[in-house]
Amino acid sequence: MVSSFIRLLSTFGFSAFLLVHAAPAHLSEPSVKHAWQQIPADWEVHDAPAADHPITLKIGLKQSRIDELIDSLYQVSDPFHGRYGQHLSRLEVEELVAPHADTVDVVDSWLISHGVDPSSDVTRNGAGDWISIRLPLSKVESMLSTKYQIYKHKRTSEKIVRTLSYSLPRDLHDHIDIIQPTTMFDNMRKMHATSHVNKVDPSSTLSAAELAALPDVTGPNGQQIAASCNTTVTPTCLMQLYRTEGYVPKAANKGNRIGITGFLEQFINFVDLQTFFSKFRPDALGANVTVISVDGGLNDQTIPGVEANLDNQYTEGITFPTPNIFYSTPGTAPTINDSVTPPQRDEPYIDWLNFVLSHDDMPFSFTTSYGGDEQTFPKEFAVRACNLFAQLGARGASIMFSSGDGGVGAGTCETNDGTNRTIFQPVFPATCPFVTGVGATFQIAPEKGIFFSQGGFSVYFPRPSFQDKAVPPFLQKLGNTYKGLFTPGGRGVPDVSAQGEGFQVVVGGEVESVGGTSASSPTFAGIVTLLNDFRISNGKPPLGFLNPLLYSVGVPGFVDILLGNNPGCGTPGFNATEGWDAITGLGTPDFVKLKSLIG
């Protein structure tokens, strides 16, 4: 799609066009696109940035046929629909999300009015629905009728350049979904709870002979599980508990892979991976993870990351010999650039999504252990990012996200709309209906929902149709308890759960015990990868977007968790109960049963 003014630019040049169109008369006066009523919690104004501070604006243009894309997503993901499994190609998805020619024209006309050449200054993705421009701060402030400040985080001392509001000509509001970096202060914090990391005390560790002498525990389906798994989780524990033991993947040469995301300078250490294999998965010794750099992302072997090691050691530990892909995307806790500090990509999330979507070939399952309180993301951003997950799902990918480690709400549990009301805080992106949110359990025979497993109901996203049967019974049992603290008509989280405490992870050559829903998500994603392997090796397409399947034919494939609660916000939180609940979702997976259900 080539707009009329781009054709004119190519014929007569930017300077000639700018003379005629320097101030388009049809653009209306600026009006606020998004604003916070107050400075987001934990941030404070630190200083004023320099006028020449470089900003890379990412502008999300209105996607012309996004409703058709979402309709297609549900059709190819519904096991009862005739199109089930007929996933879309990259080009088919790009055609559905490409902006209308009118949108391209009016946005480019606005850029030209500010001296930006759309033919040379602007970078566009394949679909043309995202554009990027590198500009000095003074130019950005003029374009967005705003004023940026340097904000400092009160606890971490991190600094970011943001604004509390920005404006666009009213005529552009229907053509631009979002512009960043502007008002999004959250930087996709990792879900891992550092309070759950403890060095293993050798004096308290049982020897191999002592462990072997412990009597096995009988699992929910009669399987035998090592008693040590009650407190010390290894790949063998997970394979026994979720009944993948003995399954040998066969579809590695048919494209089945799992993708693991890495942000905030979390790097997978190869030596630690081999040490992990030697201790907990000896048959995988010599296998490795393929690292893909997104926009210059590194994988520094001198800085082993707890999160990255956890994710990769357990996805590989469960799925070996299936190929594992680790995506390293640059961007850390944001810094204020100076003459010696290179430009910092402090919002790497959209970069990663656009990178993956730009390729024809990609993994069939992904796990991500990053997110933040939903309210800290502007709704426009959350919706637009959620639609990117819809694009991934339509192309046949299953996307897992940690549900969070804050029970029913971390921090103060206060709203950030100026009213300071107490509400439960769900975590985004787990609240996006197009991803599968994974909560956490602990112990075995029986498994229980663990206290930190974050769950609840979205404020931004209404309950999707696939939850219409599962969620209302939970709400009926709850009655008026916590009335006003959550949105009962919102999308419920989590969808499923898996073990999330006591994971044995090798970091810097030493074994650490790690917990969090950041352990649960890669665990569940590993099992989904094996389910994909089973389907692909039998000539069937991968599962793709999971939720419509999980909440229908998949329900009998889960062990219902009946114990546990997730306190927070001064309350005991939600209780695990029969059926779906807002701490463990549908329950934990039984690979054998799920394999028969999806066969």
Side-chain angles (χ1 to χ4, degrees):
M1 187 189 314
V2 181
S3 64
S4 58
F5 67 90
I6 290 292
R7 291 194 296 269
L8 187 57
L9 284 174
S10 64
T11 303
F12 298 105
F14 177 67
S15 297
F17 190 86
L18 183 59
L19 289 174
V20 180
H21 294 272
H26 64 276
L27 289 181
S28 58
E29 291 297 313
S31 63
V32 174
K33 178 67 174 173
H34 182 260
W36 294 120
Q37 296 299 315
Q38 59 189 24
I39 298 175
D42 295 327
W43 294 94
E44 61 186 2
V45 175
H46 176 70
D47 202 351
D52 60 352
H53 175 78
I55 294 282
T56 299
L57 279 188
K58 296 181 177 69
I59 303 176
L61 305 188
K62 184 72 68 177
Q63 298 167 315
S64 61
R65 298 163 62 193
I66 187 64
D67 291 340
E68 291 181 49
L69 182 281
I70 293 173
D71 286 344
S72 292
L73 169 68
Y74 276 111
Q75 290 170 11
V76 301
S77 308
D78 180 355
F80 301 106
H81 197 280
R83 290 184 65 192
Y84 180 66
Q86 298 175 25
H87 302 119
L88 280 61
S89 69
R90 175 181 63 83
L91 293 177
E92 288 172 329
V93 167
E94 288 182 353
E95 182 179 354
L96 290 174
V97 301
H100 192 277
D102 290 347
T103 292
V104 177
D105 282 345
V106 70
V107 171
D108 283 357
S109 182
W110 168 65
L111 294 176
I112 289 169
S113 74
H114 287 280
V116 177
D117 184 348
S119 65
S120 62
D121 298 337
V122 173
T123 301
R124 303 172 191 267
N125 70 341
D129 59 328
W130 282 97
I131 63 176
S132 299
I133 320 163
R134 186 78 169 167
L135 297 168
L137 181 68
S138 57
K139 174 69 72 176
V140 173
E141 290 180 332
S142 174
M143 293 172 66
L144 303 182
S145 301
T146 190
K147 189 70 176 175
Y148 281 75
Q149 300 284 350
I150 298 173
Y151 290 89
K152 182 179 179 180
H153 198 276
K154 296 176 182 177
R155 289 185 290 105
T156 66
S157 297
E158 297 157 7
K159 300 183 183 73
I160 57 176
V161 177
R162 293 293 187 274
T163 180
L164 294 182
S165 70
Y166 71 100
S167 299
L168 293 170
R170 183 68 236 178
D171 296 336
L172 290 179
H173 282 225
D174 292 335
H175 296 284
I176 292 177
D177 284 337
I178 188 168
I179 299 180
Q180 292 295 340
T182 51
T183 56
M184 194 180 83
F185 281 69
D186 197 289
N187 195 45
M188 302 304 294
R189 295 290 167 231
K190 58 184 178 181
M191 291 300 181
H192 171 66
T194 55
S195 60
H196 297 154
V197 178
N198 298 292
K199 297 285 184 181
V200 174
D201 180 4
S203 65
S204 65
T205 303
L206 297 178
S207 67
E210 290 171 324
L211 287 172
L214 292 174
D216 287 347
V217 176
T218 301
N221 290 288
Q223 74 272 37
Q224 295 301 294
I225 308 168
S228 60
C229 298
N230 200 53
T231 56
T232 305
V233 176
T234 67
T236 299
C237 294
L238 299 173
M239 290 188 285
Q240 291 175 346
L241 180 60
Y242 299 136
R243 298 215 290 171
T244 69
E245 196 171 35
Y247 181 82
V248 179
K250 308 178 234 0
N253 62 348
K254 297 181 179 180
N256 191 38
R257 290 167 295 163
I258 179 172
I260 304 99
T261 59
F263 302 114
L264 306 181
E265 291 194 344
Q266 278 283 319
F267 304 135
I268 168 66
N269 185 273
F270 300 135
V271 173
D272 283 345
L273 182 63
Q274 297 307 313
T275 304
F276 177 82
F277 287 152
S278 69
K279 291 178 178 292
F280 304 116
R281 187 76 199 254
D283 59 324
L285 264 171
N288 213 335
V289 172
T290 298
V291 177
I292 292 182
S293 171
V294 179
D295 199 19
L298 304 176
N299 192 46
D300 190 337
Q301 293 300 286
T302 68
I303 314 174
V306 174
E307 185 64 52
N309 278 4
L310 163 65
D311 292 347
N312 287 275
Q313 288 172 13
Y314 276 85
T315 53
E316 187 87 74
I318 293 170
T319 67
F320 173 78
T322 303
N324 281 226
I325 313 296
F326 178 62
Y327 293 88
S328 179
T329 305
T332 64
T335 61
I336 304 305
N337 306 319
D338 55 27
S339 59
V340 296
T341 305
Q344 191 77 276
R345 276 73 57 93
D346 61 6
E347 290 183 73
Y349 206 62
I350 297 299
D351 291 342
W352 175 78
L353 283 163
N354 278 320
F355 175 87
V356 174
L357 287 166
S358 71
H359 290 74
D360 290 303
D361 187 29
M362 64 183 185
F364 295 135
S365 56
F366 292 94
T367 178
T368 303
S369 297
Y370 300 77
D373 287 350
E374 186 183 70
Q375 69 170 1
T376 65
F377 296 90
K379 184 176 181 180
E380 295 87 349
F381 176 91
V383 170
R384 186 58 187 258
C386 192
N387 288 344
L388 285 167
F389 294 121
Q391 293 172 231
L392 279 178
R395 289 183 53 187
S398 303
I399 306 133
M400 273 59 68
F401 265 89
S402 304
S403 72
D405 293 352
V408 291
T412 64
C413 299
E414 290 183 352
T415 59
N416 60 355
D417 58 4
T419 64
N420 297 327
R421 292 175 295 113
T422 297
I423 64 167
F424 293 164
Q425 298 285 354
V427 162
F428 178 81
T431 55
C432 169
F434 307 134
V435 309
T436 300
V438 186
T441 60
F442 76 122
Q443 298 184 357
I444 56 174
E447 279 187 272
K448 303 175 184 177
I450 198 165
F451 69 94
F452 59 74
S453 181
Q454 198 144 354
F457 299 85
S458 173
V459 175
Y460 290 169
F461 301 100
R463 182 190 307 145
S465 59
F466 56 75
Q467 288 190 322
D468 281 347
K469 290 184 179 179
V471 172
F474 175 77
L475 293 172
Q476 290 169 5
K477 294 174 189 174
L478 195 63
N480 289 325
T481 306
Y482 305 144
K483 184 177 181 180
L485 292 178
F486 68 95
T487 306
R491 182 267 202 272
V493 179
D495 299 297
V496 296
S497 52
Q499 287 280 307
E501 183 74 315
F503 279 55
Q504 304 304 287
V505 181
V506 177
V507 183
E510 297 183 12
V511 175
E512 294 186 349
S513 184
V514 181
T517 53
S518 56
S520 309
S521 182
T523 297
F524 188 80
I527 292 167
V528 170
T529 301
L530 296 183
L531 293 171
N532 276 333
D533 179 274
F534 176 74
R535 283 181 60 85
I536 295 168
S537 62
N538 284 283
K540 296 183 179 182
L543 291 167
F545 173 39
L546 291 172
N547 295 355
L549 171 74
L550 299 183
Y551 282 89
S552 55
V553 299
V555 171
F558 288 87
V559 175
D560 196 2
I561 306 302
L562 304 176
L563 299 171
N565 63 297
N566 54 354
C569 303
T571 76
F574 298 115
N575 291 320
T577 186
E578 184 177 354
W580 183 91
D581 56 66
I583 175 173
T584 63
L586 295 171
T588 57
D590 182 321
F591 176 73
V592 174
K593 289 184 179 178
L594 285 169
K595 188 157 59 77
S596 67
L597 292 168
I598 66 164

